[in-house]
Tab-separated table of all heavy atoms in Angstrom:
chain	number	residue	atom	x	y	z
N	1	ASP	N	113.027	89.194	86.351
N	1	ASP	CA	113.273	90.488	85.703
N	1	ASP	C	112.030	91.369	85.790
N	1	ASP	O	112.106	92.548	86.127
N	1	ASP	CB	113.651	90.311	84.227
N	1	ASP	CG	114.988	89.616	84.033
N	1	ASP	OD1	115.758	89.531	85.008
N	1	ASP	OD2	115.237	89.145	82.911
N	2	ILE	N	110.894	90.786	85.482
N	2	ILE	CA	109.622	91.513	85.502
N	2	ILE	C	109.261	91.921	86.929
N	2	ILE	O	108.964	93.076	87.202
N	2	ILE	CB	108.492	90.634	84.920
N	2	ILE	CG1	108.664	90.452	83.421
N	2	ILE	CG2	107.120	91.182	85.252
N	2	ILE	CD1	108.058	91.496	82.553
N	3	THR	N	109.273	90.953	87.843
N	3	THR	CA	108.829	91.235	89.205
N	3	THR	C	109.754	92.225	89.914
N	3	THR	O	109.280	93.078	90.653
N	3	THR	CB	108.704	89.938	90.029
N	3	THR	OG1	109.939	89.230	90.006
N	3	THR	CG2	107.605	89.049	89.461
N	4	MET	N	111.049	92.123	89.659
N	4	MET	CA	111.978	93.055	90.296
N	4	MET	C	111.805	94.473	89.756
N	4	MET	O	111.848	95.440	90.516
N	4	MET	CB	113.415	92.581	90.129
N	4	MET	CG	113.750	91.410	91.036
N	4	MET	SD	115.406	90.733	90.835
N	4	MET	CE	116.428	92.166	91.016
N	5	LYS	N	111.603	94.599	88.443
N	5	LYS	CA	111.417	95.933	87.856
N	5	LYS	C	110.177	96.612	88.419
N	5	LYS	O	110.221	97.772	88.834
N	5	LYS	CB	111.319	95.837	86.335
N	5	LYS	CG	112.628	95.556	85.652
N	5	LYS	CD	112.442	95.369	84.159
N	5	LYS	CE	113.720	94.886	83.503
N	5	LYS	NZ	113.521	94.524	82.094
N	6	ILE	N	109.069	95.886	88.436
N	6	ILE	CA	107.830	96.476	88.959
N	6	ILE	C	107.955	96.715	90.459
N	6	ILE	O	107.544	97.760	90.962
N	6	ILE	CB	106.620	95.590	88.616
N	6	ILE	CG1	106.399	95.593	87.096
N	6	ILE	CG2	105.363	96.095	89.333
N	6	ILE	CD1	105.296	94.692	86.604
N	7	GLY	N	108.553	95.760	91.174
N	7	GLY	CA	108.748	95.926	92.617
N	7	GLY	C	109.588	97.151	92.948
N	7	GLY	O	109.274	97.905	93.875
N	8	ASN	N	110.648	97.375	92.186
N	8	ASN	CA	111.500	98.552	92.410
N	8	ASN	C	110.740	99.847	92.126
N	8	ASN	O	110.901	100.838	92.848
N	8	ASN	CB	112.758	98.476	91.546
N	8	ASN	CG	113.727	97.427	92.024
N	8	ASN	OD1	113.690	97.010	93.177
N	8	ASN	ND2	114.593	96.964	91.138
N	9	GLN	N	109.926	99.841	91.071
N	9	GLN	CA	109.130	101.028	90.747
N	9	GLN	C	108.129	101.321	91.873
N	9	GLN	O	107.949	102.476	92.265
N	9	GLN	CB	108.379	100.828	89.429
N	9	GLN	CG	109.274	100.766	88.219
N	9	GLN	CD	108.509	100.360	86.966
N	9	GLN	OE1	107.302	100.561	86.847
N	9	GLN	NE2	109.219	99.769	86.016
N	10	LEU	N	107.502	100.266	92.396
N	10	LEU	CA	106.545	100.439	93.497
N	10	LEU	C	107.240	100.981	94.740
N	10	LEU	O	106.721	101.869	95.413
N	10	LEU	CB	105.869	99.108	93.825
N	10	LEU	CG	104.813	98.628	92.853
N	10	LEU	CD1	104.456	97.173	93.131
N	10	LEU	CD2	103.575	99.506	92.934
N	11	GLU	N	108.426	100.467	95.026
N	11	GLU	CA	109.157	100.917	96.211
N	11	GLU	C	109.584	102.380	96.087
N	11	GLU	O	109.632	103.098	97.086
N	11	GLU	CB	110.361	100.019	96.464
N	11	GLU	CG	110.921	100.213	97.855
N	11	GLU	CD	111.959	99.172	98.222
N	11	GLU	OE1	111.979	98.092	97.631
N	11	GLU	OE2	112.762	99.482	99.118
N	12	GLN	N	109.878	102.824	94.875
N	12	GLN	CA	110.232	104.235	94.685
N	12	GLN	C	109.064	105.147	95.045
N	12	GLN	O	109.261	106.244	95.557
N	12	GLN	CB	110.658	104.488	93.245
N	12	GLN	CG	112.021	103.944	92.913
N	12	GLN	CD	112.383	104.141	91.448
N	12	GLN	OE1	111.560	104.571	90.642
N	12	GLN	NE2	113.612	103.819	91.100
N	13	VAL	N	107.858	104.692	94.780
N	13	VAL	CA	106.674	105.514	95.058
N	13	VAL	C	106.194	105.342	96.498
N	13	VAL	O	105.902	106.324	97.175
N	13	VAL	CB	105.532	105.175	94.071
N	13	VAL	CG1	104.247	105.873	94.452
N	13	VAL	CG2	105.942	105.549	92.652
N	14	TYR	N	106.115	104.089	96.969
N	14	TYR	CA	105.539	103.818	98.289
N	14	TYR	C	106.575	103.675	99.391
N	14	TYR	O	106.225	103.600	100.568
N	14	TYR	CB	104.648	102.575	98.228
N	14	TYR	CG	103.445	102.790	97.354
N	14	TYR	CD1	103.416	102.359	96.035
N	14	TYR	CD2	102.330	103.472	97.832
N	14	TYR	CE1	102.318	102.582	95.224
N	14	TYR	CE2	101.232	103.708	97.035
N	14	TYR	CZ	101.225	103.257	95.729
N	14	TYR	OH	100.137	103.495	94.927
N	15	GLY	N	107.854	103.627	99.034
N	15	GLY	CA	108.921	103.567	100.022
N	15	GLY	C	109.118	102.180	100.614
N	15	GLY	O	108.423	101.224	100.283
N	16	ALA	N	110.064	102.090	101.518
N	16	ALA	CA	110.404	100.824	102.173
N	16	ALA	C	109.242	100.315	103.015
N	16	ALA	O	109.154	99.125	103.313
N	16	ALA	CB	111.645	100.994	103.036
N	17	GLU	N	108.349	101.199	103.368
N	17	GLU	CA	107.171	100.835	104.161
N	17	GLU	C	106.329	99.776	103.446
N	17	GLU	O	105.619	99.002	104.080
N	17	GLU	CB	106.332	102.096	104.415
N	17	GLU	CG	105.244	101.919	105.419
N	17	GLU	CD	104.537	103.225	105.701
N	17	GLU	OE1	103.625	103.577	104.926
N	17	GLU	OE2	104.885	103.882	106.700
N	18	LEU	N	106.424	99.735	102.140
N	18	LEU	CA	105.703	98.741	101.339
N	18	LEU	C	106.049	97.323	101.798
N	18	LEU	O	105.194	96.444	101.817
N	18	LEU	CB	106.043	98.921	99.862
N	18	LEU	CG	105.305	98.052	98.850
N	18	LEU	CD1	103.820	98.385	98.839
N	18	LEU	CD2	105.884	98.260	97.466
N	19	LYS	N	107.295	97.106	102.192
N	19	LYS	CA	107.737	95.787	102.645
N	19	LYS	C	107.542	95.584	104.147
N	19	LYS	O	107.276	94.478	104.589
N	19	LYS	CB	109.215	95.582	102.315
N	19	LYS	CG	109.496	95.489	100.836
N	19	LYS	CD	110.972	95.324	100.579
N	19	LYS	CE	111.259	95.284	99.094
N	19	LYS	NZ	112.699	95.232	98.826
N	20	THR	N	107.680	96.627	104.924
N	20	THR	CA	107.653	96.475	106.374
N	20	THR	C	106.256	96.557	106.983
N	20	THR	O	106.018	96.000	108.039
N	20	THR	CB	108.542	97.533	107.049
N	20	THR	OG1	108.082	98.838	106.696
N	20	THR	CG2	110.000	97.366	106.643
N	21	LYS	N	105.347	97.245	106.314
N	21	LYS	CA	103.974	97.376	106.830
N	21	LYS	C	102.993	96.735	105.846
N	21	LYS	O	102.161	97.400	105.240
N	21	LYS	CB	103.634	98.839	107.083
N	21	LYS	CG	104.469	99.456	108.176
N	21	LYS	CD	104.007	100.838	108.529
N	21	LYS	CE	104.840	101.375	109.680
N	21	LYS	NZ	104.486	102.752	110.010
N	22	TYR	N	103.120	95.406	105.758
N	22	TYR	CA	102.334	94.632	104.798
N	22	TYR	C	100.839	94.927	104.902
N	22	TYR	O	100.151	95.077	103.897
N	22	TYR	CB	102.594	93.139	105.017
N	22	TYR	CG	101.833	92.268	104.069
N	22	TYR	CD1	102.325	91.993	102.794
N	22	TYR	CD2	100.598	91.736	104.424
N	22	TYR	CE1	101.621	91.212	101.909
N	22	TYR	CE2	99.879	90.951	103.542
N	22	TYR	CZ	100.388	90.691	102.293
N	22	TYR	OH	99.682	89.922	101.416
N	23	TRP	N	100.308	94.985	106.118
N	23	TRP	CA	98.871	95.180	106.338
N	23	TRP	C	98.353	96.472	105.727
N	23	TRP	O	97.192	96.563	105.356
N	23	TRP	CB	98.569	95.142	107.832
N	23	TRP	CG	99.257	96.241	108.594
N	23	TRP	CD1	98.760	97.471	108.880
N	23	TRP	CD2	100.582	96.212	109.130
N	23	TRP	NE1	99.696	98.219	109.566
N	23	TRP	CE2	100.824	97.467	109.735
N	23	TRP	CE3	101.595	95.257	109.169
N	23	TRP	CZ2	102.027	97.784	110.362
N	23	TRP	CZ3	102.787	95.576	109.803
N	23	TRP	CH2	102.989	96.817	110.391
N	24	LYS	N	99.199	97.439	105.581
N	24	LYS	CA	98.805	98.738	105.034
N	24	LYS	C	98.690	98.693	103.503
N	24	LYS	O	98.006	99.524	102.907
N	24	LYS	CB	99.850	99.779	105.457
N	24	LYS	CG	99.442	101.200	105.262
N	24	LYS	CD	100.482	102.130	105.867
N	24	LYS	CE	100.158	103.569	105.592
N	24	LYS	NZ	101.165	104.481	106.116
N	25	TYR	N	99.354	97.712	102.890
N	25	TYR	CA	99.412	97.619	101.426
N	25	TYR	C	98.969	96.240	100.923
N	25	TYR	O	99.462	95.754	99.924
N	25	TYR	CB	100.845	97.903	100.953
N	25	TYR	CG	101.330	99.283	101.333
N	25	TYR	CD1	102.139	99.466	102.447
N	25	TYR	CD2	100.962	100.386	100.579
N	25	TYR	CE1	102.581	100.734	102.803
N	25	TYR	CE2	101.402	101.657	100.922
N	25	TYR	CZ	102.207	101.823	102.035
N	25	TYR	OH	102.638	103.080	102.374
N	26	LYS	N	98.026	95.611	101.617
N	26	LYS	CA	97.577	94.270	101.226
N	26	LYS	C	97.087	94.221	99.785
N	26	LYS	O	97.347	93.265	99.080
N	26	LYS	CB	96.441	93.808	102.143
N	26	LYS	CG	96.884	93.297	103.466
N	26	LYS	CD	95.705	92.622	104.143
N	26	LYS	CE	95.588	93.086	105.558
N	26	LYS	NZ	94.433	92.506	106.236
N	27	ASP	N	96.375	95.259	99.371
N	27	ASP	CA	95.848	95.282	98.003
N	27	ASP	C	96.966	95.326	96.961
N	27	ASP	O	96.897	94.656	95.930
N	27	ASP	CB	94.877	96.448	97.806
N	27	ASP	CG	95.484	97.799	98.166
N	27	ASP	OD1	96.532	97.866	98.845
N	27	ASP	OD2	94.896	98.826	97.781
N	28	ILE	N	98.015	96.070	97.240
N	28	ILE	CA	99.146	96.153	96.306
N	28	ILE	C	99.892	94.824	96.269
N	28	ILE	O	100.281	94.349	95.201
N	28	ILE	CB	100.089	97.320	96.670
N	28	ILE	CG1	99.351	98.654	96.465
N	28	ILE	CG2	101.364	97.272	95.831
N	28	ILE	CD1	100.126	99.869	96.883
N	29	HIS	N	100.065	94.183	97.424
N	29	HIS	CA	100.726	92.883	97.460
N	29	HIS	C	99.905	91.833	96.716
N	29	HIS	O	100.479	90.996	96.007
N	29	HIS	CB	100.998	92.448	98.903
N	29	HIS	CG	102.114	93.191	99.537
N	29	HIS	ND1	103.435	92.857	99.346
N	29	HIS	CD2	102.119	94.282	100.340
N	29	HIS	CE1	104.199	93.697	100.018
N	29	HIS	NE2	103.425	94.575	100.630
N	30	ALA	N	98.598	91.875	96.848
N	30	ALA	CA	97.734	90.944	96.118
N	30	ALA	C	97.842	91.188	94.614
N	30	ALA	O	97.904	90.244	93.819
N	30	ALA	CB	96.289	91.090	96.584
N	31	ALA	N	97.901	92.451	94.211
N	31	ALA	CA	98.043	92.791	92.790
N	31	ALA	C	99.406	92.332	92.263
N	31	ALA	O	99.503	91.827	91.138
N	31	ALA	CB	97.873	94.291	92.576
N	32	MET	N	100.451	92.475	93.059
N	32	MET	CA	101.778	92.006	92.637
N	32	MET	C	101.803	90.484	92.518
N	32	MET	O	102.426	89.931	91.617
N	32	MET	CB	102.856	92.450	93.624
N	32	MET	CG	103.608	93.698	93.229
N	32	MET	SD	104.242	93.708	91.540
N	32	MET	CE	105.678	92.677	91.678
N	33	SER	N	101.110	89.811	93.401
N	33	SER	CA	101.024	88.353	93.332
N	33	SER	C	100.314	87.929	92.045
N	33	SER	O	100.770	87.019	91.344
N	33	SER	CB	100.263	87.834	94.558
N	33	SER	OG	100.196	86.446	94.533
N	34	ALA	N	99.225	88.600	91.719
N	34	ALA	CA	98.508	88.313	90.470
N	34	ALA	C	99.380	88.636	89.263
N	34	ALA	O	99.409	87.884	88.281
N	34	ALA	CB	97.210	89.111	90.421
N	35	THR	N	100.106	89.728	89.328
N	35	THR	CA	101.007	90.130	88.245
N	35	THR	C	102.079	89.057	88.019
N	35	THR	O	102.397	88.706	86.890
N	35	THR	CB	101.662	91.486	88.576
N	35	THR	OG1	100.640	92.464	88.711
N	35	THR	CG2	102.625	91.924	87.498
N	36	THR	N	102.620	88.519	89.100
N	36	THR	CA	103.633	87.476	89.001
N	36	THR	C	103.062	86.217	88.355
N	36	THR	O	103.706	85.600	87.504
N	36	THR	CB	104.212	87.152	90.395
N	36	THR	OG1	104.780	88.346	90.934
N	36	THR	CG2	105.281	86.078	90.338
């Protein structure tokens, strides 16, 4: 519930590119991993 809510909010701001261009958002993915 938590991870999906935050993930959806992030995708609204950063777009689908957040998932497809991992290298461009490594810091955000690391922060989401820590958040989880």
Side-chain angles (χ1 to χ4, degrees):
D1 294 345
I2 290 273
T3 55
M4 285 177 53
K5 286 176 188 172
I6 293 176
N8 288 339
Q9 292 171 26
L10 285 167
E11 195 170 338
Q12 286 177 353
V13 172
Y14 295 98
E17 191 175 84
L18 185 65
K19 293 179 182 175
T20 59
K21 295 187 177 176
Y22 180 84
W23 62 92
K24 194 173 175 182
Y25 299 99
K26 281 191 227 178
D27 55 344
I28 294 176
H29 286 278
M32 263 311 282
S33 181
T35 299
T36 301

